[in-house]
Amino acid sequence: MSEHRRKPPQPQGGGRAAARRGPSGSSSGRRAAPRGATGSPSDYGFGHEPEDEERSYSGRADARRAAQRSTGGRRRAAEPSGGRRGGPAGPPGRGRGRAAPGRNRLVDYPRADKYGWRRWVPSWKLVAGLFVGFVGSLVAVAGIGYAMVSVPKVDETATAENNVYYWKDGSQMVATGGETNRQIIDLAQIPEAMQWAVISQENKTFRDDSGIDPKGIARAVFNMARGGQTQGGSTITQQYVKNAMLNDQSQTISRKFKEIFVSIKVGATVDKDQIMAGYLNSAYYGRNAYGIQAAARAYFNKDAIELNPGECAFLAAMLKGATYYDPAGSVSIDTSATPQANRKRALVQMQDTLDKMVEYKHLSPEVRAKYTTLPKWQNPRSNTQLSGQIGYLVDLANSYVVTHSEETGITQDKLQQGGFSIYTTFDKKKVEELTKAVSKVYKANIKPEQRPDTDTHVQFGGASVNPETGAIEAIYGGEDATKHFTNNADQTGAQVGSTFKPFVLAAAMSWGVRDPDLGSSQAQDERTIVSPKSLFSGKNKLKIKNYDGTIWKNEKGEEWLQTNDGNVSLGSPPDYKIDLREAMRESVNSAFVQLGMDVGLDKVKEAAVNAGVKESTLTGNTFPSFSIGISDPSAIRMAGAYATFAASGKQRDPFSVQKVTSKDGVIYTHKPDTKQAFTSKVADNVTDVLKTVVEKGTGTAAQLDGREVAGKTGTTDGNKSAWFVGYTPQLSTAITMFRYDDDETKKNRTFLEMFGTGGQEKIHGASFPAEIWHDYMEKAMKGLPVETFPAPEPIGEVLNEDPAPTPTPSVTETEEESPSPSPTPSETETEPSPSPSETCTNFFNCDDTAGGANGGATDGGTGETSPSPSLTETEDATRGNQNGGIFGGPAG
């Protein structure tokens, strides 16, 4: 090889270059002599170097570093030939057989002998090890948890505390755990059908399981982790543990695990019969009845041992949640829990339970076939302390506390657990006097034994509201809370009749009537405020018009004629004009129906709602008779709405609880919320007109000695309800009377006519209701200072006034004289159904359909058609779901 192509000498020693060259040296076979050469031929390139000399030349450390720089580890050591750049293999020796890095790690992950994605796939040994470790940990935790828990004593948690209720003056009314009622009985006193009913419906493997359902628990834990409900997964043993042994009823994972461990221990150490008896004795069946014995008494007034399979299946349904299955309804808790809806749910659940009992061979098909309808149930209260009016007062206070749970922090469950002191607004003296006033009238006039066809099922209701605060100071809910279940002060479904007319007047003085010469949109803005001196037609069979003068017609094109009581026209002939004060005094239908149309029924509705009537209790406002009381607000709400007028337009929602305390101190205090519903000018003018009703009109029976009174009578078509609502400056009171078949077990419950009731040809608001109002208010106002209503300021324009004076006397000068025959209050109070128009041949008021444009009224939601339409102060019957609960829910 020529000299100029020979490579220059390489540095001596090891290093990266030496490692690359390998044992062969340069391409010519010659190499520089290392330090300490011996002078042998091999030292000069004539032969091979020993392996030890090669290791000395390249260095063990250099070899190790070269191996570490490779990406293959063991693969590098295993290469049979070729170097990093394709040269010959390195020398043999210990370095060639070394284990790859990571082989000696405790956990070989990522895996050192794999490449790419395979390095991240765990080996089966690793997976198996982790699984064994996880299962072992669970077993250890379960063992520790099982060892640490003990079976709690049932008696320490199964007895609920009382709630204590106080009168307005701070004296104690009653101490009760919300009627908590529990009597422990042995399993031998519980029918086998009851045991099999809950097993079939709740936990069919109860006799064989360990006390828990793993699948159900996993589902419950998963739901909790997602923030959902823990429903599902509870065996009878778990429910028994939860109901009778655990104080903590919170829905948390820690409490659920505690329940699981205690349930396992109970399942392993307690006899199944004992668990079953404990569960049935501690479970809640609704109606504040705890345990099967209390439930049997609460629903059927019998001992548990006497329950038949149908009744057992019925009570098993109550365990699902009595709020939605109690056939009496629970609308004060949930507006969807109406009696009709609850009965349907209860029947479906009961039938399902019976079917499962047959399927699991716990009941014969022959016996099962006997129970296809709900059993006959009743509404008794177990706590005799809640008899009379006390039960209604406690119910009203409880309803307020629960429906205002966002403010009180008290749910239905918490209330049932007890421990609260509830200070109510109820005045003990007023409650007693109202009860006496009703009882006096009832005993003197209502004789069901002598007049069974007319005097049975007569009901009264009443309520008093303080205009200054909105506090409910007294109610009359019925004869006895342990006998009559529905609170007549809070929910009835009875229409209010002419007591609705003040809202029409308030709307006319607040917004005014629309200009008949303008389009509908412009007329809403161009309005004329109405003076009480304004004249409207009091003609009987008045053809009702729209505000623009066109004849009002329903969707079928039929006209409407509005009648007055007795088919008499009031006012000055020939057009029978009458001012609004006199029309209110004599309760003239035609004048107020037309006034409502001129103002707009939407404004009439708005005025009622602003005054305090719950919108849910108002019927549709597309029909002229809306203005004369086809809606059914409660007595409490009517008293509260009239209290708005008494307070010069300031509206305050009625309330029944002043404050609530517990062991932690005061947890709720009522905060007044006042709204200006009407200007003082409007409210005071309404009051001034209503004073005339009591002084010279249909409400004279309500006059109080030495005190100013404003009020209005009301009687509905068909004579099915009668009202008097009136007020002084310090107290507003509503009294209602009706006949209603309150047998909860009947499917078709209806309002009944009161012709002949109490020995009278016809019941009016001016009769028994006004008499009760007078007797009660005389005693309720005793000792209070005499106050007068504010003098009203002049308001509005006089509409429809004749250009020349007419014989009609002025309101303020000669109101005592009437230019037309003025019937007595008993003759003029009621407002019968309107008569059909002379031009109508197929008029909806002429046919048998009730309700007209309102779609047909029904009695009690049963579909029974009312024979008289709801086109005046008509019944609209009970309109299916009866609305009227004070705190927003429909009545039950």
Side-chain angles (χ1 to χ4, degrees):
M1 184 177 293
S2 63
E3 201 58 35
H4 68 275
R5 299 186 64 184
R6 181 176 298 173
K7 290 183 179 180
Q10 299 297 316
Q12 301 300 313
R16 187 175 301 176
R20 277 200 306 268
R21 286 195 303 268
S24 306
S26 64
S27 59
S28 63
R30 298 183 61 183
R31 58 188 300 160
R35 293 180 183 179
T38 61
S40 64
S42 63
D43 292 338
Y44 295 95
F46 301 106
H48 294 286
E49 296 175 340
E51 288 183 1
D52 288 344
E53 286 297 317
E54 169 61 20
R55 285 196 298 271
S56 176
Y57 169 75
S58 61
R60 185 175 295 172
D62 290 336
R64 184 165 58 250
R65 283 193 296 269
Q68 290 172 345
R69 283 193 297 269
S70 70
T71 59
R74 291 182 49 137
R75 180 182 180 188
R76 180 72 178 174
E79 287 176 349
S81 62
R84 183 174 179 183
R85 298 187 183 277
R94 287 179 297 169
R96 189 171 182 176
R98 287 174 59 86
R103 196 68 184 278
N104 293 328
R105 289 183 297 173
L106 182 62
V107 178
D108 184 19
Y109 190 82
R111 300 173 68 179
D113 58 344
K114 300 295 182 182
Y115 308 97
W117 62 270
R118 292 181 178 82
R119 295 188 66 208
W120 305 99
V121 178
S123 65
W124 69 269
K125 293 181 180 179
L126 179 61
V127 173
L130 290 175
F131 178 76
V132 171
F134 176 73
V135 173
S137 299
L138 287 181
V139 172
V141 171
I144 295 172
Y146 183 81
M148 292 181 64
V149 300
S150 59
V151 177
K153 293 182 179 180
V154 173
D155 292 341
E156 292 178 352
T157 57
T159 303
E161 294 182 75
N162 281 334
N163 292 318
V164 183
Y165 299 81
Y166 296 89
W167 294 103
K168 176 183 176 181
D169 62 5
S171 61
Q172 182 172 314
M173 179 196 302
V174 65
T176 172
E179 294 179 86
T180 299
N181 180 33
R182 180 187 290 107
Q183 297 91 42
I184 306 298
I185 58 177
D186 296 333
L187 189 64
Q189 297 174 281
I190 301 175
E192 286 191 9
M194 187 67 209
Q195 302 175 47
W196 290 123
V198 296
I199 289 174
S200 299
Q201 188 60 251
E202 302 286 339
N203 181 195
K204 67 179 181 179
T205 62
F206 167 72
R207 291 291 177 183
D208 304 313
D209 64 33
S210 61
I212 63 171
D213 175 11
K215 292 182 179 179
I217 291 172
R219 182 172 60 251
V221 172
F222 179 70
N223 287 341
M224 281 189 291
R226 297 176 57 193
Q229 296 293 322
T230 59
Q231 57 189 354
S234 290
T235 62
I236 288 177
T237 302
Q238 284 178 264
Q239 294 180 54
Y240 168 55
V241 168
K242 180 175 66 175
N243 293 339
M245 296 182 175
L246 297 182
N247 286 310
D248 181 9
Q249 297 295 317
S250 62
Q251 301 295 328
T252 62
I253 292 180
S254 60
R255 195 212 63 82
K256 193 69 178 179
F257 274 114
K258 182 178 182 181
E259 175 190 311
I260 291 170
F261 288 133
V262 173
S263 299
I264 294 173
K265 179 154 284 189
V266 168
T269 60
V270 180
D271 181 75
K272 289 289 186 179
D273 285 348
Q274 185 178 342
I275 294 173
M276 175 59 71
Y279 170 61
L280 293 176
N281 277 315
S282 62
Y284 179 62
Y285 295 80
R287 299 193 186 179
N288 296 294
Y290 290 82
I292 184 63
Q293 175 65 14
R297 282 291 172 187
Y299 287 94
F300 307 115
N301 196 26
K302 61 173 64 173
D303 290 330
I305 192 63
E306 300 173 358
L307 295 172
N308 62 45
E311 293 166 338
C312 291
F314 171 89
L315 291 179
M318 297 305 106
L319 295 174
K320 292 286 187 181
T323 294
Y324 302 101
Y325 292 92
D326 187 340
S330 304
V331 293
S332 63
I333 300 174
D334 191 325
T335 57
S336 66
T338 63
Q340 293 79 10
N342 280 16
R343 290 169 198 169
K344 182 177 180 180
R345 283 189 285 257
L347 180 60
V348 170
Q349 187 67 28
M350 169 187 166
Q351 297 302 307
D352 181 65
T353 299
L354 290 169
D355 289 341
K356 288 180 178 177
M357 292 173 69
V358 173
E359 179 183 351
Y360 302 143
K361 311 300 183 183
H362 303 316
L363 187 68
S364 68
E366 293 76 20
V367 174
R368 186 262 177 271
K370 298 178 182 179
Y371 307 106
T372 57
T373 61
L374 287 177
K376 186 177 181 180
W377 49 273
Q378 60 179 9
N379 288 310
R381 294 174 183 266
S382 59
N383 193 334
T384 57
Q385 298 180 78
L386 299 175
S387 61
Q389 299 303 305
I390 300 299
Y392 300 125
L393 298 174
V394 168
D395 283 348
L396 199 60
N398 287 346
S399 177
Y400 183 89
V401 168
V402 172
T403 55
H404 290 74
S405 59
E406 291 185 0
E407 303 167 48
T408 64
I410 303 173
T411 63
Q412 183 70 17
D413 289 340
K414 288 184 178 179
L415 186 65
Q416 289 168 357
Q417 293 171 20
F420 299 104
S421 294
I422 300 174
Y423 295 82
T424 73
T425 61
F426 306 129
D427 186 308
K428 184 177 181 180
K429 175 187 172 183
K430 289 185 174 69
V431 172
E432 292 174 348
E433 293 299 343
L434 182 53
T435 302
K436 290 178 182 178
V438 174
S439 298
K440 175 185 174 183
V441 168
Y442 188 95
K443 291 178 181 179
N445 301 282
I446 309 303
K447 309 290 183 182
E449 299 84 6
Q450 299 177 15
R451 297 183 290 267
D453 293 338
T454 61
D455 285 19
T456 55
H457 307 301
V458 174
Q459 298 287 336
F460 291 94
S464 282
V465 173
N466 187 320
E468 185 177 353
T469 63
I472 304 170
E473 297 195 347
I475 64 166
Y476 181 84
E479 178 186 1
D480 190 321
T482 64
K483 299 176 181 178
H484 175 69
F485 193 67
T486 302
N487 185 343
N488 291 343
D490 194 29
Q491 45 192 296
T492 62
Q495 295 178 353
V496 297
S498 286
T499 59
F500 201 79
K501 289 174 181 174
F503 305 131
V504 183
L505 182 61
M509 292 192 294
S510 296
W511 293 283
V513 298
R514 294 168 288 184
D515 190 331
D517 297 327
L518 300 177
S520 59
S521 60
Q522 189 177 359
Q524 291 291 344
D525 299 325
E526 300 293 332
R527 291 173 172 267
T528 303
I529 301 300
V530 177
S531 165
K533 297 180 181 181
S534 296
L535 302 175
F536 282 79
S537 178
K539 182 182 178 181
N540 184 51
K541 296 184 179 180
L542 178 68
K543 185 176 291 187
I544 300 302
K545 300 178 180 180
N546 296 306
Y547 82 93
D548 59 2
T550 60
I551 303 300
W552 183 90
K553 296 180 180 180
N554 71 345
E555 67 278 4
K556 297 179 181 180
E558 300 161 336
E559 298 178 354
W560 179 251
L561 298 181
Q562 181 61 57
T563 63
N564 294 322
D565 180 50
N567 286 316
V568 297
S569 297
L570 295 173
S572 300
D575 51 7
Y576 295 98
K577 287 185 178 180
I578 187 172
D579 67 54
L580 293 176
R581 182 184 295 271
E582 187 175 355
M584 185 75 77
R585 186 184 78 184
E586 300 298 339
S587 200
V588 180
N589 285 345
S590 55
F592 281 95
V593 169
Q594 188 58 61
L595 177 61
M597 297 297 291
D598 292 348
V599 173
L601 298 182
D602 58 329
K603 294 300 183 184
V604 174
K605 178 179 180 179
E606 187 175 349
V609 172
N610 287 350
V613 174
K614 295 297 292 182
E615 187 173 0
S616 60
T617 66
L618 298 177
T619 59
N621 61 336
T622 60
F623 202 78
S625 59
F626 178 78
S627 295
I628 51 176
I630 59 175
S631 300
D632 56 11
S634 68
I636 290 174
R637 282 291 169 177
M638 287 301 291
Y642 273 49
T644 300
F645 298 129
S648 294
K650 295 181 177 65
Q651 191 271 330
R652 303 171 178 94
D653 272 349
F655 69 100
S656 58
V657 175
Q658 300 183 69
K659 70 175 181 178
V660 181
T661 65
S662 68
K663 61 183 179 181
D664 299 321
V666 178
I667 60 177
Y668 169 76
T669 301
H670 174 75
K671 296 179 181 178
D673 182 17
T674 302
K675 305 180 184 70
Q676 193 69 42
F678 309 105
T679 64
S680 59
K681 182 185 290 188
V682 169
D684 293 343
N685 270 278
V686 171
T687 294
D688 194 57
V689 171
L690 293 181
K691 282 174 58 182
T692 307
V693 175
V694 178
E695 292 170 356
K696 305 173 184 179
T698 59
T700 54
Q703 294 176 359
L704 299 179
D705 187 23
R707 293 185 184 273
E708 289 189 345
V709 175
K712 185 70 186 76
T713 52
T715 308
T716 59
D717 185 62
N719 205 214
K720 295 178 181 177
S721 64
W723 290 74
F724 184 81
V725 187
Y727 53 95
T728 66
Q730 299 108 313
L731 194 63
S732 176
T733 299
I735 302 295
T736 181
M737 176 184 178
F738 53 91
R739 286 184 68 208
Y740 191 65
D741 185 355
D742 64 345
D743 186 349
E744 299 281 355
T745 63
K746 290 186 177 180
K747 292 182 178 181
N748 300 323
R749 300 164 60 212
T750 61
F751 283 91
L752 307 174
E753 294 180 343
M754 293 190 291
F755 296 108
T757 297
Q760 298 193 0
E761 181 181 350
K762 202 174 185 179
I763 297 298
H764 306 84
S767 55
F768 297 144
E771 182 181 347
I772 292 171
W773 190 96
H774 169 271
D775 293 349
Y776 161 66
M777 289 291 284
E778 282 281 12
K779 298 295 180 63
M781 299 301 297
K782 188 175 182 180
L784 295 178
V786 176
E787 295 183 9
T788 59
F789 294 113
E793 299 179 25
I795 189 172
E797 299 182 22
V798 179
L799 303 183
N800 306 318
E801 189 175 22
D802 291 332
T806 66
T808 303
S810 66
V811 174
T812 58
E813 296 176 358
T814 59
E815 192 160 46
E816 299 178 22
E817 301 176 9
S818 175
S820 61
S822 297
T824 63
S826 63
E827 294 173 334
T828 62
E829 173 47 30
T830 57
E831 295 85 22
S833 297
S835 61
S837 167
E838 290 87 343
T839 61
C840 164
T841 57
N842 187 25
F843 181 39
F844 61 94
N845 189 43
C846 306
D847 61 29
D848 293 330
T849 303
N854 290 327
T858 58
D859 287 322
T862 62
E864 180 180 341
T865 304
S866 173
S868 59
S870 56
L871 302 180
T872 59
E873 293 180 21
T874 71
E875 196 38 48
D876 196 24
T878 56
R879 299 192 301 112
N881 293 338
Q882 300 167 3
N883 297 323
I886 172 182
F887 303 120

